[in-house]
Amino acid sequence: MPMPEVTATAPGKIILFGEHAVVYGQPAIAAPLQAVQTRAIVRPGRAGGGVYIVAANLGRTIFVSPDPVEGEHALATAARLLLRRVAPPWPDLDILLHSTIPIASGLGSGAAATTALLRGLSLMLGLPSDPDTLNPLVFEIERLHHGTPSGIDNTVVVYERPIFFVKGSPIETFCIGQPIHLLVGDTGVASPTHLTVGDVRALFEADPARLTPIFSEIGAIARAARNAIEAGDSAALGPLMAANQRLLRDLTVSSAELDRLLQAASRAGALGAKLSGGGRGGNMIALIEPDSRSSVSEALLAAGAKQVIHTVLQPEARPTCLPS
Ligand code: PMV
């Protein structure tokens, strides 16, 4: 009997506080961005044809070789990691990947593509697809992309919930006291994360005594932000975002395009704004009151944003999060 077709998705993500410093052990806060996502459709392929990944956004068809091939695409490596968990021979499969997450723009497109692929393939192969199983696999693939990722991208994308993340520590979720309204503005400038992470590493190695306090200050901001979010004090988040952005500028990861969007958001009434992700391009986030959604959104578009997404971090109805 032919196997049925399966579909799996994975969301994008935003980093609210703490990018870059998180690579050096400081805490960071991230949340899934469900408005953009990667979808994987896994279906039986041509008999004897093997396993193929059709990555629509990359305009590439990637063959998954049974043995590693030098220079192969990380998605092929990811698929093989899973396929090797079933007894041979491998089934013939076509895996279609389609994403609405802009590439190299701080929204976790790489982690989402790997997660959707591994989720879909796990479902098709009858393997476990729960977050605890998938997260270490997606992290392994992130390491191929970035070299020294903190693990924040794969964790927030795989678990699909807001997280307070410390590299190497178990996943920590937290309660959101009041809805937090954000606009996510895209500069349209692609900026691969491994380059900004590498540049910050070079700065750190050249002058650790100057960089270490910057990372610590960013960590302190992330901790203060978590307290404010839990207390439902969204207004306190604005100045914390501005302070985080100043420190990111010191790390040289802002850019003229980002600064233009940040300034436009602030002038139009945003409570705070900062870049999100690796920086030097990609996306920024602005904290807004629901009333100023259209004015800030229009200001961002007028200042050159290629896309603006509204997202709300909602309080959860978990028992531990309910007011006593
Ligand atoms: O640019 P993104 O979405 O891959 O975010 C990377 C976040 C960094 O802190 C800059 C790197 C990392 O591995 O945590």
Side-chain angles (χ1 to χ4, degrees), residues 2-8 39-47 50-54 91-97 117 120-121 123-125:
M3 287 177 286
E5 176 175 297
V6 300
T7 299
R39 177 178 302 272
I41 299 172
V42 186
R43 56 172 68 133
R46 189 176 52 80
V51 180
Y52 281 92
I53 301 167
V54 181
D92 301 305
L93 296 173
D94 288 339
I95 305 165
L96 316 178
L97 282 182
L117 169 80
L121 206 45
L123 291 170
M124 184 58 129
L125 298 173

Side-chain angles (χ1 to χ4, degrees), residues 46-305:
R46 189 176 52 80
V51 180
Y52 281 92
I53 301 167
V54 181
N57 301 73
L58 302 177
R60 282 183 67 173
T61 297
I62 301 159
F63 176 63
V64 183
S65 160
D67 294 306
V69 175
E70 183 144 347
E72 73 181 355
H73 198 280
L75 289 169
T77 315
R80 185 182 314 101
L81 267 181
L82 264 197
L83 285 157
R84 286 196 163 169
R85 296 181 173 203
V86 294
W90 291 358
D92 301 305
L93 296 173
D94 288 339
I95 305 165
L96 316 178
L97 282 182
H98 182 265
S99 185
T100 55
I101 309 173
I103 294 171
S105 65
L107 298 186
S109 65
T114 309
T115 303
L117 169 80
L118 294 183
R119 256 187 201 145
L121 206 45
S122 300
L123 291 170
M124 184 58 129
L125 298 173
L127 295 170
S129 61
D130 59 283
D132 290 347
T133 303
L134 290 188
N135 198 32
L137 299 177
V138 182
F139 181 59
E140 215 167 300
I141 302 304
E142 286 286 285
R143 286 201 353 222
L144 297 179
H145 281 299
H146 296 324
T148 57
S150 63
I152 191 168
D153 275 22
N154 50 283
T155 305
V156 66
V157 165
V158 169
Y159 286 87
E160 299 196 46
R161 45 196 313 179
I163 54 166
F164 182 80
F165 181 85
V166 179
K167 185 174 159 182
S169 300
I171 173 172
E172 234 182 290
T173 56
F174 56 93
C175 298
I176 296 170
Q178 290 290 328
I180 297 170
H181 289 258
L182 296 165
L183 290 176
V184 184
D186 191 350
T187 60
V189 177
S191 173
T193 304
H194 69 98
L195 296 182
T196 55
V197 169
D199 286 356
V200 172
R201 165 88 46 203
L203 282 182
F204 173 69
E205 280 168 3
D207 195 351
R210 187 174 79 82
L211 272 279
T212 303
I214 297 181
F215 295 144
S216 307
E217 258 188 86
I218 293 177
I221 289 171
R223 278 187 216 98
R226 177 188 175 155
N227 291 339
I229 292 171
E230 292 194 307
D233 184 8
S234 317
L237 294 176
L240 289 171
M241 286 169 84
N244 194 158
Q245 173 62 24
R246 280 194 291 278
L247 294 161
L248 286 163
R249 217 168 266 143
D250 292 346
L251 295 179
T252 74
V253 293
S254 201
S255 69
E257 293 84 358
L258 280 165
D259 289 344
R260 198 158 42 239
L261 297 192
L262 298 173
Q263 202 177 60
S266 298
R267 283 199 182 136
L271 304 172
K274 62 180 275 295
L275 69 85
S276 180
R280 296 251 178 90
N283 279 265
M284 50 71 72
I285 53 173
L287 176 72
I288 54 159
E289 309 265 27
D291 289 354
S292 59
R293 177 176 165 181
S294 344
S295 55
V296 178
S297 186
E298 277 158 27
L300 285 170
L301 291 168

